[in-house]
Amino acid sequence: MNNGLRILKRRRAVDLALARQFLDVPVANVSDCMARMTAGGPRLQPYHSGGRMAGPALTVKTRPGDNLMIHKALQLAKPGDIIVVDGGGDLTNALVGEIMVGDAVNQGLGGFVMNGAVRDAGAIRAGSFPVFAAGITHRGPYKDGPGEINVPIAIDGMVIEPGDLVIGDEDGLLCVPFDDVERLLDAARKKQDAETVMVAGIKDGSYDRSWVDATLARLNCYIEP
């Protein structure tokens, strides 16, 4: 088997109905519940008109600037899937554009994540289909390979296994490991509820800031009298 040119089967994937429950939870709340240790990196930005993304990952690892295996991933993807591509972060050639995004929309997929560049940015921005990418270029891709599908990939230290949950919003994107999805959904909802109470407290003046001075005291911070 050629390790640089292979297509594997996805052995498991987060349930789509469960994944879509994360559409009601800010990515920041999930991130807080993951100890703020994981992120897809600040270069990956949303290029669509807005809206949250959540779905199982179909992973692609490709040579920078080549989208042969992304085209194959579009053939294999199921409705709701997020095609997550490690293109090495290279911005020389775009990996997807308006045509491939349109194909994904027509198939009912959940989004694109490109550790690389996109093009046809105006058309992407005009639509609500989630597209996260590292940048933009007008230069098109090659279609020669090599590349791999349904292999573990990593983006700025964030590891994505095939079938993991991938979520995204205006703050960026995040991978939630398959085995942690249900636990983190519950934790993130509780975090969201707590923040709702905090926001209400700020508005009505009841917000308790005593923790600030308590923390400074614990740290032996000098405060000039």
Side-chain angles (χ1 to χ4, degrees), residues 84-161:
V84 186
V85 180
D86 177 12
D90 181 78
L91 304 181
T92 306
N93 297 83
L95 294 175
V96 302
E98 180 180 10
I99 292 175
M100 295 178 76
V101 169
D103 190 359
V105 170
N106 189 57
Q107 293 188 56
L109 304 190
F112 272 133
V113 175
M114 297 287 146
N115 187 19
V118 297
R119 66 177 181 178
D120 304 322
I124 292 173
R125 285 196 182 100
S128 60
F129 182 80
V131 176
F132 289 78
I136 301 170
T137 180
H138 55 80
R139 296 175 63 175
Y142 299 100
K143 305 181 190 302
D144 306 302
E148 300 177 317
I149 294 177
N150 284 325
V151 297
I153 60 174
I155 299 176
D156 280 2
M158 182 178 71
V159 176
I160 306 104
E161 298 272 357

Side-chain angles (χ1 to χ4, degrees), residues 101-219:
V101 169
D103 190 359
V105 170
N106 189 57
Q107 293 188 56
L109 304 190
F112 272 133
V113 175
M114 297 287 146
N115 187 19
V118 297
R119 66 177 181 178
D120 304 322
I124 292 173
R125 285 196 182 100
S128 60
F129 182 80
V131 176
F132 289 78
I136 301 170
T137 180
H138 55 80
R139 296 175 63 175
Y142 299 100
K143 305 181 190 302
D144 306 302
E148 300 177 317
I149 294 177
N150 284 325
V151 297
I153 60 174
I155 299 176
D156 280 2
M158 182 178 71
V159 176
I160 306 104
E161 298 272 357
D164 281 351
L165 173 67
V166 177
I167 58 176
D169 62 16
E170 292 84 355
D171 287 337
L173 61 96
L174 180 64
C175 176
V176 180
F178 179 91
D179 291 327
D180 297 335
V181 172
E182 291 192 42
R183 175 181 63 82
L184 285 168
L185 176 61
D186 181 62
R189 282 174 167 167
K190 291 177 180 177
K191 174 70 173 176
Q192 187 177 13
D193 290 343
E195 290 191 355
T196 299
V197 172
M198 291 170 61
V199 170
I202 290 171
K203 290 181 178 179
D204 65 21
S206 64
Y207 178 58
D208 182 8
R209 297 179 177 84
S210 61
W211 67 269
V212 176
D213 289 336
T215 301
L216 292 174
R218 177 174 58 82
L219 295 172

